Amino acid sequence: MNEVLDQFDLKILRALQIDGRLTNNELSEKIALSASQCSRRRARLEAEGFIRGYQAMLDRERLGLELLVVISVTLATHNRDNAQRFARLVNDLPEVLEAYSLTGEMDYHIKVVVRGLSDLSRFVNEVLLPHDSVQHVKTAIVLTTLKQFGPLPIG
């Protein structure tokens, strides 16, 4: 664990992972530290990059995004330029929620959200497969989400 973080910093981080909307007064009640100390510590944790930001967690299904898909991608050639082309591609696609470079059989796993099967078909056949950097694509539709996002195991 980073030496600049004490037990109060860790308590703040744990609490904010669960509810990023906590006010400094609410935070002070949870961790037994004054609201002004919580405010200063939160500002420092943000400035030092321990807290990268805050965001609302939206319900994709309520927004009509029915399919969550994990797509495995193998690159056509393994060199830096091709990898950079693929990285630019996925970073420019709003359907891509997450993308990971991997060891093993497949080069990348990307997590994609689409409205339905026709959108998935279009995404794979008109966006991914025609791209110069891509050789092979394998899709897996998520049936059930067992754990979506959990807090980081700190302290």
Side-chain angles (χ1 to χ4, degrees), residues 16-143:
L16 289 174
Q17 281 191 105
I18 294 167
D19 184 358
R21 296 182 348 162
L22 289 173
T23 66
N24 290 320
N25 285 334
E26 292 167 331
L27 201 51
S28 74
E29 291 173 16
K30 287 189 175 293
I31 67 166
L33 198 62
S34 73
S36 62
Q37 272 292 335
C38 287
S39 176
R40 281 193 287 280
R41 286 172 177 263
R42 182 194 306 231
R44 180 180 58 81
L45 291 166
E46 291 169 352
E48 293 178 1
F50 290 101
I51 299 173
R52 294 189 322 201
Y54 302 89
Q55 65 186 35
M57 294 179 68
L58 306 181
D59 186 317
R60 68 175 172 80
E61 293 179 67
R62 296 263 335 239
L63 293 166
L65 299 165
E66 296 292 327
L67 289 184
L68 181 62
V69 185
V70 177
I71 302 176
S72 302
V73 178
T74 303
L75 295 184
T77 59
H78 293 87
N79 60 52
R80 187 171 48 145
D81 290 341
N82 207 38
Q84 289 173 344
R85 276 195 301 277
F86 183 73
R88 280 192 301 275
L89 171 68
V90 296
N91 279 299
D92 290 341
L93 296 170
E95 299 92 342
V96 177
L97 302 179
E98 299 173 23
Y100 301 97
S101 173
L102 306 171
T103 60
E105 183 181 337
M106 304 306 274
D107 297 317
Y108 295 90
H109 276 184
I110 59 176
K111 187 164 86 172
V112 173
V113 64
V114 292
R115 292 194 176 280
L117 287 174
S118 61
D119 283 349
L120 175 59
S121 177
R122 180 201 56 77
F123 184 80
V124 170
N125 294 311
E126 296 176 21
V127 177
L128 287 181
L129 286 174
H131 196 268
D132 292 340
S133 65
V134 175
Q135 176 184 23
H136 181 73
V137 170
K138 196 184 290 187
T139 62
I141 295 172
V142 174
L143 297 176

Side-chain angles (χ1 to χ4, degrees), residues 138-155:
K138 196 184 290 187
T139 62
I141 295 172
V142 174
L143 297 176
T144 305
T145 300
L146 303 178
K147 184 175 183 179
Q148 185 167 355
F149 176 79
L152 294 175
I154 55 174

